[in-house]
Amino acid sequence: MSRLDSHDEFFIGYLGVPPQLKRFLLGLIPVLVLGALAFAFILPPLHFDHFNLGKRTKVPEFEGLLVGEPSPHLLVPRTGDVGTVSDFSLYLLSGTGKTSPKPKVLEHVDKWVKLKGTPFHRNHLTVIATKSAEPIDRPTSGPTQPAEGSSLGEFSLKGEIVDGKCYPGVMKPGRTKTHRSCAIRCIAGGVPPVFVVHNSVGDKLYFLLSDLDGKAVNDKVLDRVADPVQITGEVVQYADAFVLKADPATYQLL
Amino acid sequence: MGVAYKAVQWNRQKFVYDIILLTTVVFYLFFFEGISLHFSSDLDIKGIWIRAFGSAAFILLHVILSIGPLSRLSPKFLPLLYNRRHMGVTMFILALLHARDALAWYHDFGNLEPIVSLFVSNTHYADFIRFPFEALGGVALVILFLMAATSHDFWLTNLTAPVWKALHMGVYLAYGLLVGHVVLGALETNTHPLLTLAVGVGFVWIVGIHLITALREAQKDGAPLFGPPAQPKVDADGFVHVGSVQDIPENRAKIAVVAGERVAIFKYEGKISAISNVCQHQNGPLGEGKIVDGCITCPWHGYQYLPESGISPPPFTEKIPTFNVKLQGDQILVSAKPNLPGTPVVPAVIGQV
Ligand code: HEM
Ligand code: HEM
Ligand code: FES
């Protein structure tokens, strides 16, 4: 049987710590404490998604055309020389929770509105957590009527369906399995689903999803959120965004 | 309880222990947040806390689970065991904060009650890779709660030691569930090889050190892990040979397995007494204890028993079973039948036949 040593030291909590044992503990405890603390330094950088900063911009008001389908969004005219790019920027809209914008906002669909909310963006994907919207007059200068979407043809794309609110920055990481339940809750509540695709050179491409009739797919994609999926469908360029039109029943789990 | 009449209660050791424990936890959380913020924007503070609390609880759980086997391998680790329950409660509180923040972060502000959402958002319970790992953490948390809630000695006394011990064995189930929680959750998302390695090494360490200890204990008991145990020599009166007087240092014990039960055989003042190896307090191994002030003193928290009767010195009243002993030359024989707890037994006197 192992014994402490020839002095037969014996620790009793309510008495003191015997000297040899004390020396042992004075060595052991700092090692234990520092060992545990080391993890606080090692672990954080090992987590992915620390570098894709979701940003909150402090512009509380936007003016643009409120559009309802496939998912609620705001088309904001661009000013200045836009070259070959679209005349409009597309901003996804959500409510302030894991929800779509309030009915009081959505009743202005197809009208020009002044919209209040907090915008979050990651790369060129922006979502506005919408607080309110009030109708305004159609502007008299600048672009006022967005062009129809133009088809770029049929593509088969591999990526992940994320929710259009957390992923741009509200609740990071906003993708993959640890975020799955949250994304399901968001998309079920009306936050636009977004299909994230990494192309061959590592750029990220974002696609809004619609069914073949151009309608929202939210309730039909819940089971495919945060999984690697392949979607085959028509890509339509619309404002400065892409819409991927496909029947959710044909999404393939990879 | 102790003959020194010092209550086995709050004392200097416990304060020092708790201060080291709590300071370490606070610094861990503080550093974790600082390092994370160094890499992150200001938007996901809550996400950082979820990770900080979760990892702190998980690391602490590894420490807690290591103390038991380490103390069996060397009594030098016993001071860590002394106040281990405070570590357990601290770990539970960290786990609770982690779960609370995860629930709020991922499930609040939606169209379902958060707690409902936790269990029904991801329903792939039959799928390994897509398994809702949160549910595993939830079940583990319930086990940890039951342990923390009953950790005070009040419950230990009222539930009885065996029931309490059985409840506390649930910590191993919880550990298994949590390994699943981390592997099927955080590790599927954060696939950095170092993270996977850390969880893997932790798991192998915990399983390994328990196996090594179990082997060592089995060896000490003379019972091979596989196959039938060696048959001890039993005399006509039902007394079992357990070895020689020379095997036992003064004021110490030898542990022998008699009729399937561990018995602590103490040598002191030229006498031999045998009592059950199981302490009334938390089932500590009395045979690894020592005679202090004439009392058998448990190595875990210092509960004491008179060697002749297995009763704690007055005014305390804990009682454990005793065993009749006799000597043949220097050979010790112990009755295979335990006496009722607290039954006085005349010690065998060395050198008298
Ligand atoms: C969050 C607060 C607390 C927790 C989680 C907690 C938990 C525990 C646990 C787990 C033990 C058993 C320790 C062991 O023997 O290993 C214990 C013992 C004890 N606690 Fe607390 N405790 C708390 C606060 C307090 C306070 C405020 C007091 C008194 C003012 C107190 C008085 C005691 C005493 C006297 C013992 C010794 C009981 C004995 O060993 O027989 N505790 N506590
Ligand atoms: C209802 C109970 C629980 C829920 C809902 C829950 C939820 C989660 C979630 C969502 C994550 C992923 C966080 C991320 O994105 O990085 C996570 C990670 C984790 N959880 Fe839990 N959890 C629960 C219970 C527990 C318990 C009881 C423990 C441990 C004692 C624990 C330990 C961990 C650890 C160590 C991680 C990895 C943290 C990291 O990435 O550094 N969880 N948990
Ligand atoms: S004194 Fe706590 S187990 Fe013996």
Side-chain angles (χ1 to χ4, degrees):
Chain A
M1 196 172 303
S2 53
R3 288 285 168 235
L4 279 181
D5 60 301
S6 51
H7 301 288
D8 201 19
E9 288 193 338
F10 188 71
F11 169 76
I12 306 176
Y14 46 86
L15 304 178
V17 183
Q20 292 216 359
L21 192 52
K22 196 168 217 161
R23 230 168 297 138
F24 173 74
L25 291 178
L26 284 179
L28 175 71
I29 290 172
V31 169
L32 253 182
V33 168
L34 292 179
L37 287 182
F39 282 102
F41 288 86
I42 297 168
L43 293 183
L46 302 186
H47 286 84
F48 94 137
D49 245 6
H50 279 300
F51 301 95
N52 288 305
L53 304 188
K55 287 285 187 217
R56 182 204 310 249
T57 10
K58 297 206 166 25
V59 188
E61 283 186 359
F62 297 82
E63 292 187 0
L65 181 62
L66 184 61
V67 186
E69 285 178 344
S71 299
H73 59 273
L74 188 72
L75 293 174
V76 177
R78 290 182 154 167
T79 48
D81 181 13
V82 295
T84 55
V85 191
S86 160
D87 292 342
F88 288 87
S89 297
L90 183 150
Y91 297 147
L92 292 177
L93 299 181
S94 74
T96 46
K98 293 181 169 86
T99 52
S100 59
K102 290 187 211 106
K104 267 192 110 95
V105 170
L106 291 179
E107 73 188 18
H108 304 303
V109 159
D110 292 332
K111 295 195 188 115
W112 284 80
V113 291
K114 178 192 277 183
L115 187 137
K116 287 188 183 158
T118 313
F120 298 89
H121 68 91
R122 176 188 273 199
N123 304 328
H124 52 277
L125 180 68
T126 303
V127 66
I128 304 172
T130 312
K131 293 201 177 70
S132 65
E134 59 187 67
I136 55 170
D137 291 336
R138 174 189 293 264
T140 48
S141 63
T144 55
Q145 188 55 51
E148 290 282 302
S150 60
S151 176
L152 302 181
E154 179 152 302
F155 291 85
S156 209
L157 302 164
K158 292 176 189 167
E160 179 186 333
I161 301 172
V162 301
D163 72 85
K165 185 169 188 189
C166 294
Y167 176 81
V170 178
M171 292 185 185
K172 287 186 300 170
R175 63 189 173 106
T176 70
K177 186 164 176 191
T178 46
H179 194 73
R180 180 189 176 100
S181 299
C182 179
I184 289 175
R185 195 58 33 237
C186 279
I187 294 172
V191 170
V194 172
F195 191 48
V196 182
V197 176
H198 292 246
N199 72 7
S200 53
V201 291
D203 295 331
K204 289 198 182 91
L205 302 172
Y206 303 119
F207 296 86
L208 308 188
L209 291 172
S210 88
D211 66 9
L212 295 173
D213 302 324
K215 301 262 193 270
V217 292
N218 292 41
D219 289 339
K220 299 182 199 118
V221 303
L222 296 181
D223 202 34
R224 287 288 170 262
V225 170
D227 280 325
V229 288
Q230 179 162 2
I231 305 181
T232 305
E234 185 191 6
V235 173
V236 178
Q237 177 151 26
Y238 172 71
D240 65 347
F242 299 108
V243 179
L244 179 55
K245 290 174 88 162
D247 178 359
T250 66
Y251 293 2
Q252 273 183 308
L253 190 64
L254 294 176
Chain B
M1 290 280 214
V3 73
Y5 301 118
K6 300 221 176 168
V8 187
Q9 305 224 326
W10 281 107
N11 55 46
R12 209 179 109 81
Q13 315 304 329
K14 285 199 182 189
F15 278 120
V16 172
Y17 195 109
D18 287 358
I19 286 170
I20 296 175
L21 174 63
L22 294 180
T23 319
T24 309
V25 169
V26 168
F27 272 101
Y28 179 89
L29 298 173
F30 177 76
F31 289 142
F32 197 105
E33 189 195 359
I35 298 286
S36 297
L37 278 180
H38 180 68
F39 292 109
S40 298
S41 78
D42 58 343
L43 290 175
D44 63 344
I45 288 258
K46 223 16 188 293
I48 295 172
W49 283 107
I50 293 171
R51 290 172 177 170
F53 286 137
S55 58
F58 199 53
I59 293 167
L60 199 51
L61 183 56
H62 280 81
V63 177
I64 291 168
L65 290 179
S66 303
I67 292 175
L70 282 178
S71 305
R72 310 316 301 273
L73 294 177
S74 163
K76 284 183 177 172
F77 291 96
L78 281 171
L80 295 185
L81 187 143
Y82 180 58
N83 211 12
R84 176 172 53 171
R85 280 185 286 167
H86 280 193
M87 234 183 222
V89 174
T90 307
M91 189 266 300
F92 165 71
I93 292 170
L94 287 167
L96 187 67
L97 292 172
H98 162 78
R100 183 201 64 172
D101 283 359
L103 192 65
W105 193 233
Y106 293 105
H107 299 275
D108 262 358
F109 308 117
N111 53 4
L112 276 184
E113 274 297 309
I115 199 88
V116 177
S117 172
L118 179 67
F119 290 100
V120 305
S121 289
N122 179 358
T123 51
H124 292 284
Y125 286 92
D127 187 321
F128 181 68
I129 289 299
R130 296 199 287 160
F131 193 87
F133 68 98
E134 298 93 336
L136 298 175
V139 177
L141 190 67
V142 171
I143 296 175
L144 297 180
F145 167 73
L146 287 177
M147 291 177 52
T150 58
S151 69
H152 207 272
D153 273 349
F154 168 78
W155 287 101
L156 181 53
T157 318
N158 284 285
L159 290 174
T160 72
V163 173
W164 191 82
K165 190 92 180 172
L167 189 64
H168 277 234
M169 286 296 118
V171 75
Y172 289 105
L173 177 57
Y175 178 66
L177 292 167
L178 287 171
V179 171
H181 174 69
V182 175
V183 169
L184 294 178
L187 285 192
E188 267 186 40
T189 289
N190 305 292
T191 52
H192 197 291
L194 270 179
L195 273 182
T196 315
L197 192 72
V199 175
V201 167
F203 183 72
V204 171
W205 161 258
I206 294 294
V207 173
I209 192 172
H210 279 83
L211 280 180
I212 291 172
T213 312
L215 272 169
R216 281 270 303 259
E217 296 269 296
Q219 249 173 18
K220 276 199 232 161
D221 288 354
L225 270 197
F226 306 102
Q231 286 302 316
K233 275 205 305 190
V234 185
D235 76 2
D237 302 333
F239 279 65
V240 182
H241 283 259
V242 294
S244 141
V245 170
Q246 273 89 55
D247 294 351
I248 311 175
E250 177 67 11
N251 286 332
R252 287 288 196 167
K254 170 194 172 94
I255 301 174
V257 179
V258 175
E261 200 190 328
R262 283 198 189 137
V263 178
I265 303 132
F266 275 91
K267 174 162 122 184
Y268 59 102
E269 296 165 8
K271 293 182 275 186
I272 299 281
S273 288
I275 64 169
S276 162
N277 191 48
V278 182
C279 179
Q280 268 291 289
H281 179 222
Q282 272 181 49
N283 299 3
L286 288 175
E288 290 173 26
K290 185 179 176 181
I291 304 240
V292 177
D293 298 334
C295 291
I296 292 170
T297 306
C298 179
W300 281 13
H301 311 93
Y303 269 42
Q304 293 188 312
Y305 307 91
L306 295 165
E308 292 87 359
S309 64
I311 304 179
S312 291
F316 305 106
T317 54
E318 282 80 9
K319 288 189 183 104
I320 53 170
T322 54
F323 289 79
N324 293 346
V325 277
K326 61 184 185 186
L327 286 167
Q328 279 173 6
D330 65 353
Q331 288 297 305
I332 307 168
L333 289 98
V334 172
S335 167
K337 254 181 63 192
N339 300 318
L340 287 177
T343 309
V345 167
V346 182
V349 179
I350 299 171
Q352 237 181 41
V353 180

